[in-house]
Each structure stands twice: as C-alpha cells, then as structure tokens.
Amino acid sequence: MAFDLDTVRKEFPILAREIDDKPLVYLDSGNTSQKPRQVIQAMSDFLENSYAPINRSSYRLAGEATEAYEGARRAVARLINAPSADEVVFTKNATESTNLIARSWGVPNLGEGDVVVLTHMEHHANIVPWQMLRDELGVEIRWVPLTADGQLDLTDIGRLLDGAKVFSFTAMSNVLGTLPPVAQLCAAAHDAGALAVVDACQYVPHNVTDVQAWDADLVAFSSHKMCGPSGIGMLWGRMDVLDAMSPFLGGGNMIDTVTLDGYTTAPVPAKFEAGTPPIVEAVGLRAAVEFLEDLGMAEIRQHEIDLTRYALDTLDERFGDDITIYGPTDTAVRGGVLSFAFRDLHPHDISQILDERNVCVRAGHHCAKPLMQVLGVQSTTRASFYLYNGTDDVDTLADALDSATDIFGF
Ligand SMILES: Cc1ncc(COP(=O)(O)O)c(C=O)c1O
C-alpha cells in the first residue's frame, strides 16, 4: 500500500464514526492511536481460531499460539532494526519498560551519589522511576535544560554527564514534538561511561527507527501509540546489557528451574516476561507493525512533516500573536505534536469547545509537569497528528478555535 491519505483513512473504521452528524477529527494520537482494520481483524481471527497458552503446552494449537507470539517479537525487531528478536522484551506498556530498566538495571548498579541524567522534556514515565531510586538509594539526578525554542540545550552536556552512570532521554517530546539528536546523545553518554537509555514511545510510531545506528543500550516504547492494541509495551536492549540485568517480576515463564531453596532465571527475553503475557495483544501488534511497514515509515514521517508544516503555518496565519505554539518551528527537528496556548482561554475550555465540533485534543499537563514548570504554564492544549490526519483536520481545528473565540466573547 503506497501512502495515500484517503486509502489509509478507509483502513480505520472509527474514522467513519460521526457524533451529532459531525465527522470525527482525531487529534490525540500522541496519547493513543486509532487502530486499522488489519489489527482488529488479526486479533479477532486469533481469538476465534488460534487462541491458546504460549510456551506451556505441547499440543499443536499451543504451538501455533506460541509461534504467533514469537512472530510479533520478530516483527518488532525488524521495525527497529534490532540485531536479534531475543533482544525484544514484551511488557505492559512503555511505563512498565522504564520501570523495568530502573529496577532491573538501576537497583543493582546504582548507589548513593551515583548520577542519572535526564532532560527537562521527559514524560513522567522517564522521571518518576528514577526519582524513586533517588529516594531509595540516594541517586543524584541532573537535568539537561532547554533552549528558548524547546530543543535540548547541550552547551553544558559534558559537565552534566561527567561521572554519570545513566543518561535517559526521550527521542521525541510528547509536548513539544522536539526530536533530539539521539545518536549524538547516545555517543555522549558512552563517552562519559554512562548507559544510554532512550524513551522512544513517541518516536517509533512516526519515524524510521534504527537502534543499532543510535548505538543505544536500552529503548522503551509502546504498541498502543503505533496502531497496535493497548496492553503491550516493548523494551529493546543490547543482549549483553539485558543479560546482566536482574529479573523484574518473579513467577512462571521467567525461570529456568525452581527448588525449595531458590530459582534460576530463563534466558532473555523470557527472564523479563513473568506470567501469562499479552498474547492476543502481541498478535495485534504484529499486524500493526506489518501495516506500518507496508506504508513505509519514511513515507509516514514525510506525511507528518508536510502536515506539521501546514499546521504551523495555518495557525500562525490565522491567529498570529493570539496563539503560542511551543517547541521548534523547524520540521526537521520536530514531529507532529502541537502544544499551544490560545489567547487567555483555559486549555480545558478549549478542549470542551473543540469537542462540540467532534475535534479530539488533549488538554492538561501531558504527564510532563516538570516541563510545564519550565514553560511557565499549568497546562496546554495539544493536537497530535498521525498518518490518518490531513490538512482538512487542521482546517477544522482552526475553525473550531475560531468558534471557541466567539463563545468566550473575543
Ligand atoms: C514520551 C512518552 N514516554 C512514555 C509514555 C508512557 O507510555 P505508556 O502510556 O504506553 O506507558 C508516553 C505516553 O504518553 C510518552 O508520550
């Protein structure tokens, strides 16, 4: 399937939904994405025909289910150019992946005074697990600040990373859309002798991802933001790093053997996949990966560059100084996430008025409260795009903003 917006849209049944005779304008994909028919069908076909436990039973149906689950692992590995599918660990979501990193790598390797470097644009999922280690172990957290246009200010990066054990950063800000130079940051981490951890939750769904070109150590991301189902997340890691990490949760599937005296762990990735995993979700995830691959990640990125450019220009032309869009204006270093302040309207009021036009945006702190502090705001309105959005959605957003202005009497 070559990238054609009308064809793409037809693959998403929910986009045909109308409320009050108005079409759905879904601009909240930074939160979670909609699902194409291919994913919905793969999951229901699997449930109707092939559902069974994985790894535990030797009958043919269970073998089929195990193969489907492992097929998802191979698909994810291919999507991010991982050297081996065994390096892909399935979790519940990206948040569980970052917590797994903090627990299974952090606890054995960090102690009092050890330095973890984060940035001011992190999601809470890449802040709180490290703050928990600060409280428990006395780890020190240092912060990479931002430039005025919402990029990382790397002026002082050498000093910040000096003596650090971990540098954990987002590959794309869920608020500003900023795309930091991931490979450069991984190299800087390694030069300092630190582990390079990447929160790629917003990046993988929208870009060509190559974990080997990044030279990252550990990378967290989620299925539900990339056309797959919720309930399954991913952690990719270099095998030597994963191998040396402690197990995360204990129970079935993650053990090699258990006696009255203790246990030994299964090899990676099973070591980190205790209990019955998200089997049906893995099947849906595989279908999502294949859907994205058929369209081409480079084509998806190009579509979003064009759309983001159109949105930045349109909103600027129509509202000028009445709108403040946070983050870089150069689409080479930003993705399709537009957080903004509009006149002095409260983001929740804006969101409510937009909802009356069936325009779905997110209002709030976007799980990035420290960034809100840095920006000097309580909250923003955020429109976030994906492959099924077009310039017509941006026009509807702009018209709806106009109507918000009328209602609040400007
Ligand atoms: C940058 C970033 N990191 C992590 C997360 C957490 O993802 P999940 O909700 O899948 O755990 C999000 C979700 O919004 C995000 O945007």
Side-chain angles (χ1 to χ4, degrees):
M1 201 198 317
F3 196 89
D4 170 73
L5 184 57
D6 289 335
T7 316
V8 170
R9 280 178 169 167
K10 287 198 185 97
E11 297 297 319
F12 290 81
I14 203 168
L15 297 181
R17 167 111 198 255
E18 296 194 340
I19 301 178
D20 293 339
D21 295 329
K22 294 182 193 82
L24 180 66
V25 177
Y26 188 76
L27 300 177
D28 199 18
S29 298
N31 209 334
T32 195
S33 74
Q34 296 298 348
K35 319 302 171 202
R37 190 169 281 113
Q38 202 166 311
V39 169
I40 301 164
Q41 269 171 5
M43 293 173 79
S44 82
D45 285 351
F46 181 75
L47 281 165
E48 284 182 18
N49 299 306
S50 308
Y51 184 75
I54 64 147
N55 294 339
R56 291 179 183 175
S57 306
S58 54
Y59 48 86
R60 276 167 296 170
L61 194 64
E64 225 178 83
T66 304
E67 173 48 30
Y69 183 74
E70 291 306 321
R73 206 188 297 283
R74 289 193 295 275
V76 170
R78 200 172 58 232
L79 184 73
I80 62 171
N81 195 29
S84 160
D86 287 344
E87 295 177 340
V88 174
V89 174
F90 286 132
T91 59
K92 186 174 69 185
N93 49 36
T95 304
E96 190 170 278
S97 301
T98 53
N99 277 272
L100 194 165
I101 295 168
R103 289 283 125 198
S104 297
W105 192 93
V107 172
N109 288 293
L110 297 174
E112 176 87 30
D114 282 338
V115 173
V116 173
V117 179
L118 307 175
T119 86
H120 276 168
M121 62 169 82
E122 298 311 313
H123 186 280
H124 296 163
N126 192 32
I127 296 176
V128 181
W130 302 111
Q131 288 178 329
M132 290 164 109
L133 294 191
R134 181 177 60 190
D135 296 347
E136 282 170 42
L137 306 173
V139 164
E140 180 196 342
I141 298 178
R142 292 183 192 153
W143 301 91
V144 180
L146 305 185
T147 60
D149 74 339
Q151 302 200 56
L152 293 183
D153 181 350
L154 299 175
T155 322
D156 242 0
I157 191 72
R159 188 188 55 78
L160 287 168
L161 283 174
D162 187 28
K165 292 245 173 120
V166 179
F167 184 17
S168 187
F169 55 89
T170 185
M172 177 174 147
S173 162
N174 65 315
V175 175
L176 305 168
T178 313
L179 295 162
V182 178
Q184 185 190 328
L185 300 182
C186 289
H190 291 152
D191 285 349
L195 189 80
V197 178
V198 184
D199 173 359
C201 208
Q202 296 286 344
Y203 188 96
V204 174
H206 306 278
N207 296 275
V208 177
T209 304
D210 185 337
V211 293
Q212 296 187 66
W214 279 351
D215 196 20
D217 295 314
L218 295 166
V219 177
F221 51 114
S222 249
S223 153
H224 69 95
K225 292 191 200 289
M226 46 186 270
C227 295
S230 55
I232 184 165
M234 284 74 77
L235 166 65
W236 170 82
R238 273 184 22 219
M239 185 49 85
D240 57 325
V241 175
L242 291 172
D243 208 31
M245 281 162 58
S246 306
F248 179 46
L249 302 173
N253 200 49
M254 53 72 72
I255 53 94
D256 177 31
T257 186
V258 188
T259 66
L260 291 177
D261 296 324
Y263 71 95
T264 55
T265 54
V268 175
K271 174 177 158 184
F272 299 110
E273 295 183 0
T276 302
I279 307 169
V280 186
E281 289 77 3
V283 169
L285 169 61
R286 176 186 183 166
V289 170
E290 287 167 358
F291 177 79
L292 294 173
E293 284 175 332
D294 282 352
L295 288 171
M297 293 311 302
E299 284 72 15
I300 293 170
R301 168 73 181 132
Q302 189 55 53
H303 172 70
E304 291 181 19
I305 289 176
D306 297 344
L307 189 56
T308 306
R309 182 72 275 146
Y310 180 82
L312 290 169
D313 292 345
T314 302
L315 295 175
D316 181 48
E317 273 160 29
R318 285 188 62 170
F319 303 114
D321 290 344
D322 285 344
I323 196 163
T324 304
I325 300 174
Y326 299 101
T329 49
D330 179 358
T331 50
V333 291
R334 87 170 289 154
V337 168
L338 262 65
S339 290
F340 57 88
F342 185 59
R343 297 198 168 123
D344 57 359
L345 296 183
H346 194 283
H348 286 118
D349 291 334
I350 296 176
S351 158
Q352 199 181 335
I353 300 296
L354 297 191
D355 184 42
E356 281 168 22
R357 300 241 177 162
N358 214 4
V359 177
C360 308
V361 295
R362 178 167 174 186
H365 53 66
H366 316 293
C367 300
K369 279 192 158 214
L371 175 56
M372 295 293 121
Q373 274 171 356
V374 169
L375 296 176
V377 296
Q378 291 283 337
S379 59
T380 70
T381 308
R382 183 185 74 180
S384 50
F385 306 132
Y386 205 9
L387 69 180
Y388 35 69
N389 293 119
T391 53
D392 52 345
D393 294 330
V394 174
D395 293 340
T396 309
L397 169 69
D399 292 345
L401 283 173
D402 254 340
S403 76
T405 308
D406 294 342
I407 286 164
F408 286 95
F410 284 90

